[in-house]
Amino acid sequence: MADSTPLLSQANSAESQSTTPPLEKHRPSLDFTIERCIGVFGWAQFFQTLLVSLAWLFDAQQTFISVFTDAYPTWHCTTHPHGCDSVSNICYLPKNSWAWDWPSYTSIISEWKLECSSSIITGLPASSFFMGCLVGGFVLATLADSSLGRKNMIFLSCLTMSLSSLLTVFSTNIWVYSALRLVCGFGRATIGTSALVLTAELVGKRWRGQVGVIGFFCFTIGFLSLPAIAYLNRGSSWRSLYLWTSIPGIFYSMLVHFFVRESPRWLFVRGRKEEAVATLKSIATPSRSSCLTWSFSEVSFQEERCNNGNIFSTIKMLVQKRWAFRRLLPVLVIGFGSGMVYYGMPLGLGNLSFNLYLSVTLNALAEIPSSLITMLLIATSLVRQAVVFGGVFGPMLVAADRRDGISSYGVFGLVIGCCGLFAICLPETRGRALCDTMDEEEQKEKAICNDEGYDGP
């Protein structure tokens, strides 16, 4: 407050020389003011961050659950006169010459007699899930920024995903099963993005990288829990796996509804100032609570509302800005290749001659170090859509490769190798501070271009 008088006097003296008062130019931004009021990372913020990040755990379970429920079961010969052996194709053997190693209800393949169906049919449920994710990502993306908010988006997404997963238990054929997987994918499409944005907006800028990692670790824990649950239920119906993963998800949705706080930034932008201040008081440290009564009196929300566009206006803006579009295209190609490999490789583990439970566990453990590297890539919503789009093709390729089990991994390596070459088109970011908004990045690009112009002859 001691510096307010010089600023005011300076503004008054310059008012006759400029139509825009200098005081307007120096108004604090909404993000800066929220960060000043939140202060350091306290226990209340940690609890909110952890509770929101748990959504990733249930997201991972539904994403990779088909690795076990849709697995091709092992079988054995019951008679040998018909030329039956371990490398035979059971589609050309008499039905009485072979049998499944486990009861038929342990997999949808054996229960619905899909062992000789085409790869399009057997890969349809997993591909339907990712297709639902792709459609839901575009349809639901604007709701978190507009009418619903981040908290309600997480609540409704988790609830829809869990309820559709619970209804999957009552599937009677592959078509009903695929339709429910489509709904499940549609519901979970925005869980990762909404959870990541909400946790970032509940803490200061200094802690956003750390809390983002928490979500990716929760995703890994959810992936790791699947082989444990499946192993404990081996020999049981594939429907029990959906029960064990959907019911806890429903209870978690209730916890989100009653205990998670809405983003204060979203509340301010939507004009709900009283709710925003109440949220900040609940998560701010006691030493910072006193500033909440006056800190937002000088903040202008007009610019914040203009910058709070939907995904379609964002895509239009990216296309119009050439520098952004040149970066977006190679990143989308890389995301497509990453998605095909990331989702396809776990689905193809059942085709290999290894223990499925151990293979999935090792695959999930490999995500712990990789999550730290890929955090910034996956955080971009359009890149997430490209990753999911790549995931649509993975299940079909894996299902077509069940005869030899190896060639799909060769295709995965070729795809990610070719897509990775597009990284050459991206600018070097080492040693540079990353910008929070496109406006900041554009200003930095203009400054670099001006410097290069001045250094020229």
Side-chain angles (χ1 to χ4, degrees), residues 10 47 70 120 190 198 224 279 283 306 377 379 386-387:
Q10 184 181 0
F47 172 76
D70 302 6
I120 297 178
T190 58
L198 180 55
L224 277 171
T279 299
I283 63 177
C306 293
L377 175 66
V387 171

Side-chain angles (χ1 to χ4, degrees), residues 283-302:
I283 63 177
T285 56
S287 60
R288 301 274 182 163
S289 299
S290 58
C291 74
L292 293 172
T293 57
W294 52 267
S295 292
F296 297 92
S297 58
E298 297 181 354
V299 177
S300 176
F301 302 103
Q302 185 65 32

Side-chain angles (χ1 to χ4, degrees), residues 70-88:
D70 302 6
Y72 199 92
T74 56
W75 57 277
H76 61 275
C77 296
T78 55
T79 58
H80 295 278
H82 299 282
C84 179
D85 53 50
S86 59
V87 295
S88 300

Side-chain angles (χ1 to χ4, degrees), residues 9-29:
S9 61
Q10 184 181 0
N12 293 333
S13 63
E15 191 169 334
S16 59
Q17 301 176 5
S18 176
T19 57
T20 303
L23 187 61
E24 286 291 325
K25 298 180 182 179
H26 297 284
R27 280 190 172 184
S29 66

Side-chain angles (χ1 to χ4, degrees), residues 389-408:
F389 184 56
V392 172
F393 298 93
M396 297 293 185
L397 180 60
V398 168
D401 190 44
R402 278 178 175 154
R403 297 294 177 261
D404 55 56
I406 299 296
S407 60
S408 62

Side-chain angles (χ1 to χ4, degrees), residues 243-255:
L243 280 175
W244 281 106
T245 55
S246 61
I247 294 178
I250 295 175
F251 282 109
Y252 169 75
S253 301
M254 299 299 106
L255 291 177

Side-chain angles (χ1 to χ4, degrees), residues 30-40 45 202-204 264 268 276-277 279-297 299:
L30 176 59
D31 291 329
F32 173 80
T33 308
I34 291 177
E35 185 172 356
R36 183 177 62 179
C37 293
I38 289 178
V40 297
Q45 292 166 282
L202 288 173
V203 300
F268 273 114
V277 171
T279 299
L280 288 174
K281 285 183 178 180
S282 65
I283 63 177
T285 56
S287 60
R288 301 274 182 163
S289 299
S290 58
C291 74
L292 293 172
T293 57
W294 52 267
S295 292
F296 297 92
S297 58
V299 177

